[in-house]
Amino acid sequence: MAKKNLASLMSGLMGEEQPKTDEQPRTADEAQPEQTTARESKERRGPGRPRKGETTEKSNEIRATFIVDPELVKKVKYISLVDGLLLKDVVNAALSEYVDSWESRNGKIRLQKGN
């Protein structure tokens, strides 16, 4: 991926304001998206959060919320973009590596079922 494109993509992901262009304003017809069926929309939609009522392919996943250093999040997002991976996959890999390392030093963690 070209550095210019990656920088543009990163600035959009990080919430930084995009540089303004001299584009002409869109007409009302151009601003409204084309009508699509739910199936077409689902097929075209890329990675991201599933809509309400939709299930994920991996039923063993849960949603988790963490407070994290913003610079660390930016770096992890950058890594996921450069490697072409989903952010959740990069985070899962990092957490798995950490747990594996901890278990190798301290012994296997045994959890009760349901936890």
Side-chain angles (χ1 to χ4, degrees), residues 64-70 72-73:
T65 304
F66 300 95
I67 307 297
V68 184
D69 176 13
L72 182 59
V73 172

Side-chain angles (χ1 to χ4, degrees), residues 88-107:
K88 71 174 190 164
D89 294 335
V90 174
V91 171
N92 276 330
L95 289 173
S96 292
E97 260 185 60
Y98 183 81
V99 169
D100 290 344
S101 171
W102 192 93
E103 286 181 331
S104 71
R105 291 188 315 272
N106 301 293

Side-chain angles (χ1 to χ4, degrees), residues 1-19 74 77-78 81-82:
M1 181 179 287
K3 286 184 181 180
K4 183 178 179 182
N5 292 342
L6 184 59
S8 173
L9 187 56
M10 283 297 296
S11 65
L13 284 174
M14 298 305 144
E16 297 168 7
E17 191 172 315
Q18 295 289 331
K74 287 179 184 180
K77 283 183 178 183
Y78 180 86
L81 286 170
V82 170

